[in-house]
Amino acid sequence: QQWLHDICETNGWEHRQCPIIWRELLDRGGKGQLLGGLNDFLEYAQQYYGITSMMLSEEMLDIAEENLQAYLEIVKEDEEVKSLIKPMQIWITSASVPICYHLIPLLANGEVFGMTTEISIHLLDTEQFKEILHSIVMEAEDMAFPLLRSISEHTKVDQAFIDADIIIVLDDVLLNLEVQSRENSIREVSEICQVYAPLIEKNAKSEVKVISSGKTFANLKATMLRTYGPSIRPENIIAIATSWESAAKAMLARKLNMNTAGVKDVIVWGNITGSNYIDLSHAKLYGYDSAIRGPPNFQRPLLNMIYDSKWVRSELLCAQSRLSSRVSRCTGMLPAHAVATVLRYWYHGSPPDEIISVGIISEGQFCIPEGITFSMPVRFQNGNWEVMTELEINETTQKALGRLSHELVQEKLVALKEINEMHPYEEE
């Protein structure tokens, strides 16, 4: 009855009993012509086409019942098939930010996880952003991605991360020293992670992959999620540095007047959204237009091609503030592409012999203190990553690693101190 009411209301028809029969006139620009019930239809067919049905009403009812049962069986079979295909559950926090808006199409088009992997996306944010989440959900549904099984909005944090395979943390904290101190900003980061980490342990799958991104404190978020979620596998918590890689490569490509895609193996060390070091000692150029040319896989050391060493020292290696400003001004495409790229590498492997910078929980590689999230060179293979510890680093880089390590250790200590002061442990 409800279906009949909706059909009639949509088309402006008056019809109160089933069956209802109408003729579509879409090819003529019309919305449809109501024929009426069964008797009206038979009369129409007789007058318009000269066709008369010789079946009795009982026979028609039997056919209708048989068709209904066949339809119900098909629906049941489709539901059973769909139930066997478990979609990948992806949760995105602070989902009202522009990064999420640009990230959803990249995740749903099949290029990240493969053309046979269905996904379900869960958007998490506070109640004040409910309308934005609803708009994103409706727009994603309108795009009708074949691999997007479902997309939903969530505003209750206690129900977050249920059955999550992947969690993308996009929460940012205001970093404006004129408004509040850096210590207060760090405390906010710790408080967010203190809420998320136990929920991840409780609700997410045991092999859940957690990605920290955003414009501020990407390393610290990864560190604190590991601190407050000790059962989360440490190798499954990473911070995204690809946006910095891409910005540095673009700056180099403009200097060399070449395609950015030909610049490879630029390493981002340290605090991704804070103090970091751009290492060019292993960088290579492919397809560079010079006197010496070769096949597509022919590469040249980047530093050998930039003869202006003063530019390297003053414009790039000391361009921390400019690169930081450039990355932070991105409206969402660059960081969204960075997250999607790293996820694709994580599941399908990174290009052979290519260096990818990722923030990971340090285990002492390159003499970096353990327990802090530090961006360093890795490769992805067989669903895992490994640090490229075979790379040789020069004295300049080693000094930079020591300075950056100290800063990240201090940042972690401040975060733990702020939380301990708010929630002191009771003495037994």
Side-chain angles (χ1 to χ4, degrees):
Q1 290 298 322
Q2 185 61 45
W3 175 85
L4 177 62
H5 175 271
D6 294 341
I7 287 290
C8 291
E9 183 175 321
T10 300
N11 293 278
W13 295 335
E14 289 290 338
H15 188 86
R16 301 182 183 281
Q17 291 183 327
C18 284
I20 179 173
I21 301 171
W22 71 92
R23 178 183 182 187
E24 294 289 349
L25 300 173
L26 298 179
D27 57 332
R28 302 182 188 179
K31 63 181 179 180
Q33 176 186 354
L34 174 66
L35 302 182
L38 177 60
N39 292 333
D40 299 317
F41 170 68
L42 293 176
E43 182 179 345
Y44 180 87
Q46 170 63 34
Q47 293 178 354
Y48 198 90
Y49 297 106
I51 297 174
T52 302
S53 173
M54 303 304 294
M55 283 191 293
L56 300 175
S57 298
E58 290 79 5
E59 292 177 308
M60 292 186 179
L61 290 172
D62 290 341
I63 292 173
E65 180 64 26
E66 184 179 338
N67 287 342
L68 175 61
Q69 293 303 318
Y71 172 76
L72 293 176
E73 289 178 6
I74 291 172
V75 170
K76 183 179 179 181
E77 289 177 1
D78 288 343
E79 290 177 350
E80 290 177 352
V81 170
K82 287 184 177 180
S83 68
L84 297 176
I85 304 174
K86 300 296 184 182
M88 182 177 292
Q89 304 293 326
I90 303 173
W91 284 78
I92 305 176
T93 71
S94 195
S96 63
V97 299
I99 300 177
C100 178
Y101 182 83
H102 292 282
L103 179 60
I104 289 173
L106 300 177
L107 297 177
N109 65 13
E111 294 183 6
V112 174
F113 304 108
M115 299 305 297
T116 60
T117 302
E118 292 190 354
I119 64 173
S120 289
I121 297 177
H122 305 267
L123 308 179
L124 176 66
D125 214 319
T126 58
E127 185 70 28
Q128 70 182 100
F129 297 109
K130 185 176 180 63
E131 290 188 8
I132 297 178
L133 297 184
H134 186 65
S135 299
I136 295 174
V137 168
M138 291 185 63
E139 191 167 350
E141 290 175 342
D142 290 344
M143 295 179 74
F145 293 105
L147 297 175
L148 182 58
R149 173 77 70 86
S150 65
I151 181 169
S152 56
E153 57 193 86
H154 304 266
T155 56
K156 296 181 179 179
V157 70
D158 58 328
Q159 299 176 4
F161 313 132
I162 294 177
D163 294 329
D165 293 288
I166 296 171
I167 298 172
I168 303 171
V169 180
L170 300 180
D171 297 71
D172 273 323
V173 172
L174 178 67
L175 189 56
N176 187 342
L177 299 181
E178 296 180 359
V179 177
Q180 67 175 356
S181 66
R182 183 176 180 83
E183 288 75 16
N184 286 338
S185 298
I186 290 175
R187 182 180 63 192
E188 287 188 32
V189 174
S190 295
E191 290 174 348
I192 291 171
C193 296
Q194 207 171 22
V195 172
Y196 285 167
L199 289 171
I200 295 173
E201 290 182 307
K202 176 183 177 183
N203 295 336
K205 294 179 181 175
S206 59
E207 297 295 315
V208 63
K209 292 177 169 60
V210 183
I211 291 178
S212 173
S213 185
K215 297 180 180 180
T216 60
F217 297 108
N219 291 54
L220 183 61
K221 284 184 289 187
T223 299
M224 301 316 292
L225 286 171
R226 173 69 182 112
T227 301
Y228 297 121
S231 68
I232 305 172
R233 293 182 60 186
E235 61 270 26
N236 281 5
I237 305 176
I238 66 172
I240 301 296
T242 314
S243 297
W244 279 86
E245 274 189 11
S246 300
K249 290 175 181 178
M251 184 178 289
L252 291 162
R254 284 191 291 271
K255 174 67 175 178
L256 295 165
N257 193 27
M258 63 175 294
N259 188 344
T260 305
V263 183
K264 305 289 186 182
D265 298 346
V266 173
I267 304 174
V268 178
W269 296 93
N271 192 353
I272 296 165
T273 51
S275 298
N276 56 49
Y277 176 74
I278 309 297
D279 183 4
L280 304 182
S281 60
H282 298 277
K284 305 177 183 65
L285 301 179
Y286 292 81
Y288 180 56
D289 188 9
S290 64
I292 302 177
R293 301 187 184 184
N297 61 350
F298 177 69
Q299 49 87 10
R300 308 288 299 279
L302 182 144
L303 292 178
N304 289 354
M305 298 297 101
I306 299 182
Y307 298 101
D308 188 355
S309 58
K310 181 179 179 181
W311 180 89
V312 174
R313 291 193 301 270
S314 62
E315 295 295 322
L316 182 67
L317 298 184
C318 299
Q320 172 76 26
S321 60
R322 285 196 297 277
L323 277 176
S324 177
S325 176
R326 184 177 184 83
V327 173
S328 63
R329 286 200 309 268
C330 293
T331 58
M333 285 191 294
L334 177 59
H337 179 264
V339 172
T341 299
V342 171
L343 274 173
R344 184 174 74 251
Y345 290 165
W346 208 342
Y347 279 85
H348 301 291
S350 55
D353 302 322
E354 187 169 325
I355 298 173
I356 310 297
S357 301
V358 174
I360 61 169
I361 305 294
S362 170
E363 295 181 351
Q365 303 95 333
F366 302 107
C367 300
I368 298 168
E370 297 182 15
I372 59 173
T373 299
F374 200 94
S375 179
M376 60 183 76
V378 306
R379 65 169 65 88
F380 289 90
Q381 290 180 330
N382 303 319
N384 299 302
W385 52 261
E386 61 178 355
V387 180
M388 302 177 71
T389 53
E390 72 277 10
L391 292 180
E392 295 183 3
I393 57 177
N394 56 36
E395 184 178 352
T396 302
T397 301
Q398 192 65 63
K399 289 181 179 179
L401 299 190
R403 173 177 53 82
L404 297 173
S405 298
H406 177 74
E407 291 182 4
L408 283 168
V409 169
Q410 293 302 311
E411 192 174 84
K412 180 181 178 180
L413 291 175
V414 170
L416 293 174
K417 176 184 176 183
E418 293 289 339
I419 292 298
N420 288 338
E421 288 180 353
M422 292 182 61
H423 307 285
Y425 295 105
E426 295 182 2
E427 296 183 1
E428 295 184 0

